């Protein structure tokens, strides 16, 4: 009798603790619709009207199978909940942030640092981003689509933070896996330039005429992709939170004016300190093969050597360039790559003559702030206005800007925006190529590297022991 009373007291204690934690969670996410779950929590601990674990009374294989199903479902729900609101694993897939973060680094990403997003696409398979493994089909259902809302976090994005976010230009892409990593807009403009012949040099045209020619390129390229499904598949779209995850360094904050002059980033006229391991490409001529020990010392990857063999240049930190320059037995010559390609930078539908090393100035939109619009700057801000903030925007043949059916000469932004760049400055597809990152694309902040393995070196030798459990905030 006493034991039964103790068990009842324990059940009430568990119920109270679980209920309080759950109510705190609902208060945090500001969603009291979750109160409908409370009767089920009460039943699970106190009234026990529903036999939640009926399979424990079964015999034979039913009990064995259901015990595994129960454990698997619980694990999936728990991991999905943790990934959604607290922490998520992320692996560095490319060299865009090297040598600050390396290919093969596994990051623990905090959702609470900037505040987790309430899921915009709630019906999705746990542990997938957008595609079902093996099957190759979508891992989510697009309906319902909830409006963007972010729970209060521990802080805000600060300049030089390394941030994980959804790829902004990933709203449109092709379904063929061979081309999914490519930027759809870059593809369309590139194809269009090859298909459409222009009688006059584009730089001799007015800004409005240049825009019209560039839009003709885009439309022609898009139509070409559409008419070749065997090569590219279908043109598809993805919701914000189902787009690829990218990781870059935030170099520009909402409301700042950013400019790159001779590779140095300036915000509001002040030079931004370069990361310690920032990289640029150098033209390098070798006398002899680079020893593996030296490659390991300078974190030079096989990918870097492949680029050197194909293009004659490779990404290096200033320290690595200095060390190689001193190795007269291996290096014949080394010179900074100061080439200035133009034409594939954001915005694609304007001729700015900006380069990856000399870019801007460009004002970064901030929530509640307004900007005067004209034909000279509309190309920069039309994607935030139209695509990210859901307005109908049109530029007429005579250069008038029509937003939601009314002629406008200014616009007030609804969200904050950020400027993200990789530390591997000459080998990074970043905001210079696809523009602003809206606040609703922000995923979280990497806290620490929990595992790191060199893809060029297998087995035990490939483990980067010195990087394991190192804090990302210490990587400056």
């Amino acid at each position: 009798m006493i034991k039964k009373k103790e068990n009842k007291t324990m059940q009430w204690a568990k119920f109270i603790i679980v209920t309080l934690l759950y109510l705190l969670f609902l208060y945090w996410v500001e969603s009291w619709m979750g109160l409908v779950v409370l009767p089920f929590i009460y039943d699970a601990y106190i009234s026990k009207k529903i036999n939640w674990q009926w399979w424990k009374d079964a015999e034979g294989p039913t009990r064995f199978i259901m015990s595994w199903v129960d454990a698997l479902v619980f694990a999936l729900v728990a991991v999905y909940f943790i990934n959604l609101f607290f922490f998520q694993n992320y692996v560095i897939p490319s060299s865009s942030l090297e040598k600050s973060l390396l290919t093969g680094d596994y990051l623990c990403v905090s959702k609470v640092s900037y505040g987790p997003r309430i899921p915009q696409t709630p019906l999705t398979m746990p542990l997938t981003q957008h595609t079902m493994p093996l099957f190759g089909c979508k891992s989510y259902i697009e309906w319902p689509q909830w409006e963007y809302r972010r729970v209060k976090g521990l802080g805000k994005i600060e300049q030089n933070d390394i941030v994980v976010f959804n790829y902004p230009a990933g709203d449109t892409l092709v379904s063929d896996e061979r081309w999914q990593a490519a930027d759809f807009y870059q593809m369309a403009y590139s194809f269009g330039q090859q298909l459409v012949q222009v009688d006059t040099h584009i730089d001799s045209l007015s800004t409005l005429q240049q825009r019209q020619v560039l839009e003709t390129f885009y439309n022609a390229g898009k139509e070409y992709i559409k008419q070749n499904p065997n090569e590219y598949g279908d043109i598809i779209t993805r919701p914000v939170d189902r787009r690829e995850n990218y990781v870059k360094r935030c170099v520009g904050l909402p409301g700042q004016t950013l400019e790159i002059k001779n590779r140095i980033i300036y915000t509001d006229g002040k030079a931004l300190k370069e990361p310690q391991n920032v990289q640029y490409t150098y033209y390098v001529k070798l006398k002899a093969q680079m020893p593996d020990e030296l490659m390991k010392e300078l974190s030079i990857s096989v990918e870097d050597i492949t680029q050197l063999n194909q293009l004659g240049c490779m990404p290096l930190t200033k320290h690595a360039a200095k060390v190689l320059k001193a190795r007269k037995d291996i290096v014949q010559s080394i010179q900074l790559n100061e080439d200035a390609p133009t034409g594939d930078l954001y915005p694609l539908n304007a001729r700015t003559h900006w380069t990856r090393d000399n870019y801007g100035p460009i004002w970064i939109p901030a929530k509640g702030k307004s900007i005067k619009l004209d034909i000279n700057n509309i190309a920069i801000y039309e994607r935030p206005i139209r695509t990210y903030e859901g307005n109908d925007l049109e530029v007429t043949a005579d250069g008038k800007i029509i937003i939601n059916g009314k002629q406008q000469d200014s616009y007030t932004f609804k969200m904050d925006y950020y400027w993200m760049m990789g530390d591997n400055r000459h080998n990074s597809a970043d905001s210079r190529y696809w523009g602003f990152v809206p606040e609703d694309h922000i995923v979280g902040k990497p806290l620490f590297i929990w595992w790191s393995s060199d893809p060029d070196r297998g087995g035990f030798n490939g483990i980067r022991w010195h990087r394991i459990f190192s804090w990302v905030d210490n990587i400056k």
Side-chain angles (χ1 to χ4, degrees), residues 41-52:
I41 297 176
Y42 177 81
D43 182 77
Y45 286 98
I46 307 300
S47 61
K48 300 185 184 297
K49 299 293 184 182
I50 302 173
N51 188 6
W52 297 97

Side-chain angles (χ1 to χ4, degrees), residues 26 30 39 45 71 75 88 101 126 132 218 248 273 291 405 417 460:
L26 294 182
E30 298 178 353
Y45 286 98
Q88 187 173 349
L101 292 178
M132 286 287 288
Y218 173 73
K248 306 284 181 187
K273 183 181 178 182
Y417 292 80
F460 192 80

Side-chain angles (χ1 to χ4, degrees), residues 155-393:
K156 294 182 178 181
I157 296 176
E158 297 181 3
Q159 204 158 30
N160 277 325
D161 275 2
I162 294 175
V163 181
V164 175
F165 55 92
N166 296 118
Y167 177 40
D171 61 324
T172 304
L173 65 160
V174 293
S175 60
D176 192 294
E177 291 182 358
R178 295 171 298 174
W179 295 92
Q180 283 198 358
D183 186 312
F184 175 82
Y185 299 98
Q186 297 272 2
M187 285 173 58
Y189 276 104
S190 177
F191 292 156
Q193 288 178 43
Q194 299 171 37
L195 294 167
V196 178
Q197 298 297 320
V198 181
D199 295 333
T200 183
H201 196 279
I202 191 169
D203 287 331
S204 66
L205 302 174
S206 68
T207 302
L208 178 59
Q209 290 171 327
Q210 289 177 1
R211 174 190 174 87
Q212 291 166 346
V213 170
L214 291 168
E215 286 188 342
T216 301
F217 289 160
Y218 173 73
N219 291 329
K222 183 177 179 180
E223 188 63 26
Y224 173 77
I225 295 170
K226 189 176 180 180
Q227 291 177 357
N228 288 273
N230 292 335
E231 175 66 20
Y232 306 105
D234 298 323
I235 298 175
I236 61 175
T237 60
R238 281 182 183 152
V240 170
D241 56 343
R242 297 298 103 200
R243 297 169 195 170
E244 292 286 357
N245 288 328
Y246 271 38
V247 58
K248 306 284 181 187
R249 189 182 296 275
C250 177
V251 297
L253 296 173
Q256 291 183 334
T257 298
L258 179 140
E259 186 173 11
I260 304 173
K261 294 188 286 189
N262 296 322
R263 297 176 300 280
I264 302 300
I265 299 171
Y266 294 81
T267 53
D268 295 335
K270 183 179 179 182
L272 195 64
K273 183 181 178 182
E274 287 190 318
Q276 184 177 351
N277 289 314
V278 69
Q279 287 195 132
Y280 298 100
T281 56
Y282 289 76
Y283 287 112
V284 181
K285 289 184 179 179
L286 297 177
K287 293 179 180 178
Q289 185 176 344
M290 201 176 296
D292 185 67
E293 296 78 13
L294 183 61
M295 289 176 59
K296 194 170 183 178
E297 176 192 340
L298 301 179
S299 297
I300 295 174
S301 66
V302 171
E303 180 185 349
D304 297 336
I305 297 297
T306 301
Q307 181 177 333
L308 176 63
N309 294 335
Q310 293 176 348
L311 304 176
C313 61
M314 64 189 299
L316 296 169
T317 62
K318 291 179 181 178
H319 169 72
K322 185 178 179 181
V323 171
L324 288 180
K325 193 172 184 178
R327 292 295 302 264
K328 304 296 184 181
D329 56 324
I330 298 173
V331 178
Q332 179 180 329
S333 65
I334 181 170
Q335 182 182 0
L336 179 65
N337 177 6
E338 295 184 291
D339 293 347
T342 62
D344 60 347
L345 297 174
Y346 180 86
L348 294 171
N349 59 342
R351 295 282 287 181
T352 61
H353 299 288
W354 296 341
T355 72
R356 63 188 181 185
D357 292 337
N358 290 278
Y359 189 99
I362 188 169
W363 180 75
I364 304 169
K367 185 177 181 179
K369 300 292 184 180
S370 301
I371 189 170
K372 291 288 184 182
L373 297 175
D374 56 42
I375 195 61
N376 295 309
N377 69 1
I378 186 59
I380 296 172
Y381 299 107
E382 67 179 297
R383 183 164 176 81
I385 295 170
R386 178 192 288 131
T387 305
Y388 303 142
E389 302 200 356
N391 296 284
D392 180 33
L393 185 148

